[in-house]
Amino acid sequence: MLTKKKQLTKNKDQPKPTKRYRKCKYCGEKSVPYGAMQPFCFKNKCIKAHNQKTIKAQIKQLNEKDTRYWIRIATKWFNQYIRHRDKDLNCISCDYDFKKGSRQGHAGHFRPAGNHSILRFNELNVWKQCSICNNHKSGNVGAYERALRGRIGDDEVDTLLNNNTPKKWTIEELQSIVEESKLKLEENFTQKQK
Ligand SMILES: [Zn+2]
Ligand SMILES: [Zn+2]
């Protein structure tokens, strides 16, 4: 609360208060705004309404500034590319033939992305896998490794197994993964059409 003395000083400092009156965006009443850009009055409900609006805007903004948001987007496009790349292959772990059954094909990691984030978007570490192996057999990793050695060779598999470098993805890197995956999807698709 302003004291009478302060109010007088304030009025003295603001010789033409009428010019600074603004209409509150929330209740429509006219008041002297605290700052030039303040679009609301000092009533609690108006401050609350304004804060809620600001928070909503911040959450929207946070999304695209949040690394987790971009991990999700990059994973979506990368997985889609992997499934398309391996369109004609059977499940890496159990050799399930997708053409003969109704199991879904997932992009399954050899070394899990959660513990080995550096391998999250490594093409040699992710292969099409059936939904049973991916969801119910924890990746069926023993069989996965045997098949992977057959597909890409011992050297590449050992390189994957020895890569334990910690990795924090930046938003820029994740955006590049999105672009690369889209491009590869397009190339892969064009090749298969020929
Ligand atoms: Zn108001
Ligand atoms: Zn399988």
Side-chain angles (χ1 to χ4, degrees):
M1 284 291 280
L2 294 173
T3 62
K4 207 166 188 181
K5 198 182 168 194
K6 272 187 183 161
Q7 258 172 350
L8 284 174
T9 332
K10 211 181 167 196
N11 288 342
K12 218 172 133 192
D13 290 339
Q14 299 166 355
K16 296 167 196 163
T18 44
K19 278 204 169 175
R20 295 187 56 184
Y21 270 68
R22 289 182 68 182
K23 199 172 173 182
C24 171
K25 226 166 108 180
Y26 302 96
C27 69
E29 282 172 26
K30 284 189 179 176
S31 68
V32 184
Y34 185 74
M37 295 310 288
Q38 184 180 305
F40 54 92
C41 72
F42 286 107
K43 284 204 280 296
N44 271 340
K45 63 167 188 179
C46 297
I47 292 172
K48 206 174 158 190
H50 183 72
N51 285 346
Q52 272 173 355
K53 206 184 151 197
T54 313
I55 287 166
K56 262 190 190 170
Q58 277 170 348
I59 287 171
K60 243 187 175 179
Q61 236 182 1
L62 192 81
N63 255 349
E64 300 209 344
K65 285 181 180 169
D66 195 329
T67 313
R68 287 166 299 179
Y69 171 84
W70 285 102
I71 291 257
R72 253 179 271 145
I73 305 286
T75 301
K76 184 190 120 179
W77 283 101
F78 180 77
N79 287 359
Q80 203 174 320
Y81 159 62
I82 294 295
R83 286 196 304 268
H84 198 81
R85 181 199 67 187
D86 298 355
K87 215 171 67 166
D88 302 322
L89 299 179
N90 291 353
C91 169
I92 178 100
S93 307
C94 71
D95 205 33
Y96 176 79
D97 187 347
F98 292 97
K99 288 186 194 79
K100 288 182 183 161
S102 60
R103 281 186 207 170
Q104 271 190 321
H106 293 184
H109 284 73
F110 170 49
R111 301 192 82 197
N115 305 332
H116 310 282
S117 59
I118 195 164
L119 301 176
R120 185 183 281 276
F121 301 112
N122 183 314
E123 283 184 40
L124 296 179
N125 189 51
V126 192
W127 297 84
K128 192 167 79 169
Q129 191 175 44
C130 79
S131 48
I132 302 290
C133 288
N134 191 240
N135 293 338
H136 306 298
K137 294 185 179 174
S138 310
N140 200 354
V141 74
Y144 198 139
E145 184 176 336
R146 282 191 293 279
L148 193 57
R149 289 189 180 277
R151 272 190 198 178
I152 65 173
D154 289 333
D155 286 353
E156 296 285 14
V157 174
D158 291 339
T159 305
L160 291 175
L161 286 170
N162 290 323
N163 192 350
N164 296 306
T165 316
K167 166 87 183 152
K168 270 203 163 187
W169 291 90
T170 67
I171 289 176
E172 288 73 22
E173 286 171 330
L174 294 166
Q175 286 171 335
S176 303
I177 298 284
V178 173
E179 291 316 310
E180 279 168 31
S181 300
K182 282 183 183 175
L183 214 70
K184 281 177 189 165
L185 248 173
E186 220 170 86
E187 281 169 9
N188 216 262
F189 193 71
T190 323
Q191 277 169 14
K192 294 241 162 106
Q193 296 291 299
K194 276 174 194 169

